[in-house]
Amino acid sequence: SYSEKEMLRDLLRIEEQKVVVSVGSFSPRNGADLLVRAAAKFPHEVGFYLIGGEVPEALIRIKDKLEASNIHFINLRDKSILPQYYKAADLFCLPSREDIWGLAVNEAMAYGLPVITTDRCNAGLELVENGINGFVIPTEDVKSIVQKTAAILSDEPTETKMGEESLRKINDYTIENMAQTFMNLFKTET
């Protein structure tokens, strides 16, 4: 049967068998360069779709130098298309160097995706449980991005179960919980 995921991949011209998506600005804070370096270690059957705004020349240079044809930069002008990328994906990765929250983590979980993020992303620290719905890894750790991505993508039942856990966790995470978390963050900052 022709699934919604397959239909969306055709629509978005995604040809890879496995899809990792990352959403956010291409600033050094979000660690897009780390994801590019990790993505280059994967075979071309695994596509990495980095979705944000204008793509910095430095990122394009890294991709070209690593000859990584499985990396796709999407300058998304129309935000209404974003859900299609989430639904077409198998995994979400945000290798933040610094993130006050990281709302894209909430979004990815709401679409039932396993999440890999860093210990510098507050949304990840709050919402991602290691080995349950994804992994929280140390920042700057390209090797961990590669290992955890491979671990999730190479095991269909784990990938599915982690995605279901993300959905369950985010559904339990009400606006009240989020407000409380923000209040706690501000208390610790001051």
Side-chain angles (χ1 to χ4, degrees):
S1 77
Y2 189 57
S3 71
E4 182 187 24
K5 186 178 274 195
E6 290 166 321
M7 185 197 77
L8 286 168
R9 286 184 181 181
D10 285 349
L11 186 73
L12 298 167
R13 294 188 177 87
I14 293 174
E15 292 172 9
E16 296 90 355
Q17 281 136 37
K18 290 288 179 183
V19 176
V20 179
V21 72
S22 188
V23 176
S25 73
F26 294 121
S27 71
R29 277 175 4 109
N30 283 339
D33 57 308
L34 301 171
L35 192 54
V36 169
R37 287 188 170 88
K41 304 215 182 295
F42 283 85
H44 63 92
E45 294 87 46
V46 183
F48 287 76
Y49 289 77
L50 283 69
I51 303 165
E54 203 59 47
V55 186
E57 200 52 50
L59 273 185
I60 295 168
R61 275 199 303 274
I62 295 169
K63 175 193 166 176
D64 292 347
K65 189 174 153 226
L66 297 170
E67 296 177 15
S69 61
N70 63 329
I71 299 167
H72 310 275
F73 298 115
I74 312 291
N75 181 350
L76 198 65
R77 290 181 178 87
D78 180 3
K79 292 278 188 272
S80 70
I81 298 166
L82 192 55
Q84 295 177 354
Y85 279 98
Y86 281 122
K87 289 177 187 171
D90 298 300
L91 171 66
F92 176 82
C93 185
L94 184 67
S96 299
R97 288 185 169 97
E98 162 194 15
D99 217 321
I100 306 304
W101 181 252
L103 198 60
V105 169
N106 298 60
E107 288 176 358
M109 288 174 64
Y111 286 102
L113 291 175
V115 172
I116 296 173
T117 190
T118 69
D119 53 11
R120 293 290 182 82
C121 174
N122 283 310
L125 293 171
E126 183 73 24
L127 298 169
V128 178
E129 232 178 306
N130 274 319
I132 304 295
N133 68 320
F135 295 99
V136 175
I137 60 171
T139 187
E140 302 293 338
D141 192 344
V142 172
K143 196 171 165 191
S144 282
I145 298 171
V146 173
Q147 288 170 339
K148 300 306 185 197
T149 299
I152 293 171
L153 295 182
S154 65
D155 184 353
E156 200 88 26
T158 297
E159 183 188 306
T160 303
K161 193 171 181 335
M162 282 186 166
E164 288 165 357
E165 280 300 318
S166 276
L167 207 50
R168 189 187 60 73
K169 283 176 90 61
I170 203 70
N171 286 338
D172 293 344
Y173 202 72
T174 63
I175 202 80
E176 289 81 14
N177 295 356
M178 208 163 152
Q180 188 55 57
T181 303
F182 275 117
M183 292 308 293
N184 296 344
L185 280 172
F186 287 124
K187 282 180 195 153
T188 58
E189 295 294 313
T190 52

